Amino acid sequence: MSSHTTQGGPADGPATAGPRRRLIRELLLVAGLFAVYKAGRMLSTDRTDEAFRNAGRVWDAERALHLPGEGVIQRLLLHGDGDALVHTANTYYAAVHFPATALFLIWLYVRRPGHYLWARRVLAVLTGAALVLHLTFPLAPPRMLGAAHLVDTAQVYGPSVYRAAPTTDTMANQFAAMPSLHFGWALMLALGMIAATRSRWRVLWLLHPLVTLLVVVGTANHYWLDAIVATALLGGALLVVPRPRVRTGSSVVVRHLPRPRRRAEPPAPVVADTAAVAEAPAVAKAPAETVGAAR
């Protein structure tokens, strides 16, 4: 007697076809949105004069608002004889932004599906609003602005994700400084993890946007106002996109909260039946009278 086996098993049946299709759909959707964003922001790469005029306006506005100069943070990175700190900052700017956001979305998709949809929609609204600003308000970063007197740390110390000449850079639009999506995405990552987890240490996720802010300013890739505008756009996106409805099965707090104990109610007073009490002696004497009669 021979047995025939087929490749695959129950795991390859219809039970897993739905989740697999949803995963592929989400991957294509996120990749498509990112491709549209990257292609759209390249439309303003040749607006060099306008980008530098806007840079002068932003620099003057920051001074009028008495914001600290971006050079304060850069001097901290360049302090000392070695270049380890500034090299670390450049690496953080180049290597953490996209992988951290991707891992954030993947973790939410697997562990907190309701929060994943919420976070993905918020990031889409934020990125779309940022694209509009990139197209309508091209802005040269502070490393290109002569009045700022800042060092292009990526070109000097490495690593760099940009080419030395912005007009010949076909991979990135270096005039899309306003707003800073590095900071906006990092802040959303922190807020999303705080909302989706219940650890007492979850507030430490805010260290990611804090470090990102110091990095993007210290490397002279963004102004303070770039991060402020990104925060405002994220706030608007959070107001537009409704918060996720977490089911009981996926909620840690609801499942583990102890139920309040109900106070035991005192027993109701027993009201004696007066008629039954009156008849009770007669009933009790009946057997004695019967015995006397028998004698």
Side-chain angles (χ1 to χ4, degrees), residues 51-170:
F52 277 95
R53 284 196 300 271
N54 290 334
R57 295 188 184 104
V58 169
W59 182 260
D60 293 339
E62 287 189 342
R63 307 292 76 79
L65 294 172
H66 301 288
L67 294 177
E70 286 76 5
V72 174
I73 306 300
Q74 185 169 96
R75 284 191 292 271
L76 293 176
L77 294 179
L78 298 176
H79 181 72
D81 297 331
D83 57 356
L85 188 57
V86 67
H87 187 273
T88 301
N90 291 332
T91 303
Y92 197 94
Y93 181 86
V96 174
H97 176 50
F98 289 111
T101 307
L103 289 175
F104 164 64
L105 291 175
I106 291 172
W107 187 87
L108 288 182
Y109 182 84
V110 175
R111 301 296 299 272
R112 301 289 189 272
H115 285 87
Y116 164 78
L117 291 175
W118 168 66
R120 189 249 286 160
R121 290 166 181 166
V122 171
L123 285 174
V125 173
L126 170 62
T127 305
L131 178 60
V132 173
L133 264 180
H134 292 162
L135 297 177
T136 58
F137 192 79
L139 179 65
R143 55 187 165 82
M144 298 181 187
L145 187 63
H149 303 290
L150 297 173
V151 178
D152 189 344
T153 59
Q155 294 294 334
V156 176
Y157 300 95
S160 176
V161 295
Y162 303 123
R163 293 185 178 180
T167 55
T168 62
D169 196 340
T170 59

Side-chain angles (χ1 to χ4, degrees), residues 34 37-38 41 91-104 123 127 162 180-187 189 208 212 216 222:
F34 180 71
Y37 166 74
K38 291 289 287 185
R41 58 183 271 160
T91 303
Y92 197 94
Y93 181 86
V96 174
H97 176 50
F98 289 111
T101 307
L103 289 175
F104 164 64
L123 285 174
T127 305
Y162 303 123
S180 171
L181 279 184
H182 269 73
F183 179 75
W185 286 12
L187 183 57
L189 187 155
H208 176 49
T212 301
V216 299
H222 287 283

